[in-house]
Amino acid sequence: MNYLIVHGGGPTAVINASLYGIVKRLLKEKTTEHIYGAIGGIEAIYTKDYVDFARVNKFELESLLYTPASALGSSRYPLDDNEYQKLAKELKNQGIDAIFLNGGNGTMNTCVKLSEAVKAYNIKVMGVPKTIDNDIAIIDHTPGYASAAKFVANTISEISVDIKSLPIHVCIVETMGRNSGWLAAASALAKSEFVDGPDFIYTPEKAFDEDKFLEDVSNLWNKKKGILVVVSEGLVDKNGETIVPPIYKSGRSVYYGDVSSYLSESVIKNLGIKARNEKPGLLGRCSISTRSRVDVEEAILVGKKAAEAIIDDKSAYMVGIMREDSDHYKAEFPLIPIEKINAPERKMPDEFINESANGITEDFIKWAKDIVDFQPFNYVSYNGEK
């Protein structure tokens, strides 16, 4: 049997853990001949630019678990509807028996279309979820999210203490999250007995009102100096337009102007208060120094389950992560028909956002704390009441 693994879209801190899980499981099968990894995304199929994991040494394979971003590389290569038949023929000619596609919503859409195109050749297709945005439909959460969320919580915890040490400005931190606020919400985990955490959190799920934002900041400034605000890069107004126009758009790829920079300037100009902005950006996506233990373990299991599904002759599914209804966190990994995944992006539910649309509820904290695996720091402070 010949297998092919493809990474698509933005990398995560655990995408290589899923790759590891797939490869380790396939290596146990006596019928396995080649386990190809596509170098640089799906377009590598045309050039046959592959690495064969059936031939790599043990050190390289184990090193996947400690490698940030995508060891195979990735891409956002756009596929038109006519190209799927061409890809299907390439896979058939190369003797590929099954293909694993590891990615987010765009990649799962590719799974749907490719699985139809390869039916005539009896090639199996399996979706492996991955995205820091946590916006794949149906499932509880995605591999990659918890680690990025832990980075956010860790960063906000430290910034919060910095601001308390020198409370002279409004600091606005921008997280990734094109259409959903899961990452921005994770900043709420930073709050503890010793850490004030973010004063306000704004997500794309609720329309952003700049006047109300300035009012929130102004009212709080009259009570305390040193304010921390967390915003998602995809904030939209009541008309659904981003508050800062995109500076580049190409298909699903959208690059926004700096929301944090825009809002800090607004605070300075309209309130006359010192303000600064921070945008960790890709640091939160690729960092493995703060990744979640749960995220790593689940990413490996997702890869393993995907391989087992293919071995069991399953096709056109994605491995999901669903939370069991119990007092202690436990997940199951069902196979979900891929056409059900090809749905609108998963947003944060209303119960996770407060009524003022400027903060996160305890319901989110309870949902997130087990998977993010973040323990608040016990800082010592002689400057203030804590």
Side-chain angles (χ1 to χ4, degrees), residues 78-303:
L79 293 169
D80 59 42
D81 291 338
N82 297 323
E83 202 162 359
Y84 288 95
Q85 289 299 328
K86 184 179 177 183
L87 281 172
K89 290 178 181 178
E90 282 286 341
L91 293 171
K92 174 62 177 177
N93 292 337
Q94 294 174 27
I96 301 298
D97 297 295
I99 179 171
F100 299 87
L101 297 171
N102 190 342
N105 283 300
T107 301
M108 294 309 114
N109 180 53
T110 296
C111 278
V112 173
K113 295 179 179 179
L114 187 59
S115 63
E116 287 296 320
V118 299
K119 274 184 179 179
Y121 305 118
N122 197 30
I123 297 172
K124 295 184 283 291
V125 177
M126 189 61 55
V128 183
K130 171 275 320 172
T131 174
I132 64 169
D133 292 332
N134 198 41
D135 60 356
I136 294 180
I138 299 179
I139 62 177
D140 183 77
H141 58 278
T142 57
Y145 167 71
S147 292
K150 186 174 181 179
F151 176 90
V152 169
N154 184 81
T155 299
I156 293 302
S157 178
E158 294 174 338
I159 291 177
S160 179
V161 176
D162 184 282
I163 291 171
K164 189 171 183 178
S165 299
L166 185 61
I168 61 172
H169 55 248
V170 175
C171 181
I172 302 175
V173 181
E174 178 179 340
T175 69
M176 300 182 80
R178 185 176 55 228
N179 295 314
S180 60
W182 295 99
L183 279 179
S187 64
L189 295 170
K191 289 190 176 184
S192 72
E193 178 184 356
F194 301 94
V195 181
D196 292 345
D199 295 294
F200 301 111
I201 303 170
Y202 299 92
T203 71
E205 282 80 5
K206 300 294 183 179
F208 183 80
D209 184 330
E210 188 173 340
D211 290 335
K212 179 63 169 59
F213 159 75
L214 291 171
E215 181 182 342
D216 288 343
V217 171
S218 179
N219 289 339
L220 186 58
W221 186 258
N222 291 329
K223 300 175 183 178
K224 61 174 286 192
K225 301 298 185 285
I227 295 174
L228 178 56
V229 180
V230 176
V231 299
S232 176
E233 67 178 347
L235 291 186
V236 295
D237 61 22
K238 62 182 179 181
N239 298 316
E241 299 292 330
T242 55
I243 65 170
V244 180
I247 57 177
Y248 174 76
K249 295 180 71 173
S250 177
R252 292 184 69 255
S253 298
V254 181
Y255 296 89
Y256 298 104
D258 287 352
V259 172
S260 55
S261 176
Y262 170 81
L263 291 177
S264 63
E265 288 182 14
S266 180
V267 168
I268 294 169
K269 292 176 181 177
N270 292 289
L271 301 180
I273 299 172
K274 289 182 178 180
R276 62 180 301 141
N277 65 288
E278 305 289 344
K279 186 178 179 180
L282 295 184
L283 292 175
R285 189 170 81 183
C286 68
S287 175
I288 62 171
S289 60
T290 56
R291 65 183 176 178
S292 160
R293 172 189 55 81
V294 175
D295 199 18
V296 175
E297 293 173 354
E298 290 186 342
I300 294 172
L301 275 171
V302 164

Side-chain angles (χ1 to χ4, degrees), residues 188 350-355 359-366:
D350 288 343
E351 60 265 28
F352 285 177
I353 304 171
N354 69 11
E355 293 183 4
I360 300 304
T361 66
E362 281 298 317
D363 286 339
F364 172 82
I365 300 295
K366 293 176 182 177

Side-chain angles (χ1 to χ4, degrees), residues 2-7 16 19 23 26-27 33-41 44-45 47-57 60-61 64 70-73 94 96:
N2 297 318
Y3 305 96
L4 176 63
I5 306 165
V6 179
H7 288 175
N16 295 323
L19 172 61
V23 172
L26 293 179
L27 285 173
E33 186 173 355
H34 299 287
I35 308 171
Y36 295 120
I39 305 300
I45 293 173
T47 60
K48 301 180 186 178
D49 190 6
Y50 301 151
V51 58
D52 189 354
F53 286 104
R55 306 289 184 267
V56 303
N57 62 51
E60 288 180 351
L61 185 57
L64 288 174
S70 171
L72 291 175
Q94 294 174 27
I96 301 298

